[in-house]
Amino acid sequence: MPTHALTQQNFDQTIARGAIVLVDFWASWCGWCTRFAPIYEESASQHPEILHTTVDTEAEQALTAAAQITSLPTLLGFRDGLLVYTKLGFQTAAELEDAVQNIQWMDMDEVRRERGIQHAEPAATAGQVAPARGAGLAAGPARYGWPGLKLG
């Protein structure tokens, strides 16, 4: 799955509607950003269940300022609309994969408790059951097992 560009106009609704959304803040003049881009794109291909997005900091200066981005590249990870991961600087493919796995396995009930956030279940429409959200693996295939588990 390709990455998607975010703007100030679509940022909030994109974060709110995705179970897991990664946001890569980058600039064309940033050497580390250009090195990270193919790693990030490969992650998008490997994890189609996760929305991989990008913000061009030169074109989206107001959004970059609102997000308080001070270093490039910066990767933000959101789950269920909550910021759960921030990494400044370059990441290797293994580091990014580790971050993805940790975000997928987060106990979101615990995250909400720590932050004092009441969890509101989405309202069910007529004849439908509201989807369960909370602790455990995020939506998508469970391909890798528990974070930190080393096989072989």
Side-chain angles (χ1 to χ4, degrees):
M1 175 181 249
T3 60
H4 301 278
L6 290 183
T7 65
Q8 189 168 9
Q9 289 73 33
N10 68 2
F11 185 86
D12 289 335
Q13 67 242 25
T14 300
I15 299 304
R17 78 167 182 243
I20 297 178
V21 181
L22 297 179
V23 184
D24 174 27
F25 285 83
W26 65 279
S28 60
W29 51 262
C30 169
W32 289 110
C33 297
T34 58
R35 290 182 183 135
F36 180 63
I39 293 169
Y40 191 65
E41 290 170 8
E42 180 62 25
S43 178
S45 296
Q46 291 177 353
H47 297 284
E49 72 280 7
I50 295 174
L51 183 57
H52 287 69
T53 64
T54 61
V55 174
D56 178 350
T57 59
E58 294 171 292
E60 295 296 329
Q61 293 179 9
L63 177 56
T64 302
Q68 300 178 350
I69 303 302
T70 59
S71 180
L72 295 178
T74 292
L75 184 67
L76 303 181
F78 295 86
R79 180 159 169 199
D80 299 340
L82 298 175
L83 178 64
V84 295
Y85 178 82
T86 302
K87 171 69 172 162
L88 307 177
F90 177 80
Q91 293 184 66
T92 65
E95 290 170 329
L96 179 56
E97 181 60 27
D98 203 36
V100 165
Q101 293 303 310
N102 285 326
I103 293 168
Q104 285 183 314
W105 281 96
M106 277 184 170
D107 180 341
M108 291 306 293
D109 289 336
E110 180 63 25
V111 169
R112 285 184 191 86
R113 268 192 300 278
E114 288 173 0
R115 296 180 185 185
I117 298 171
Q118 293 290 335
H119 179 58
E121 288 294 331
T125 57
Q128 294 180 331
V129 176
R133 296 172 86 173
L137 181 64
R143 294 183 283 205
Y144 300 101
W146 195 256
L149 178 65
K150 303 296 184 201
L151 301 175

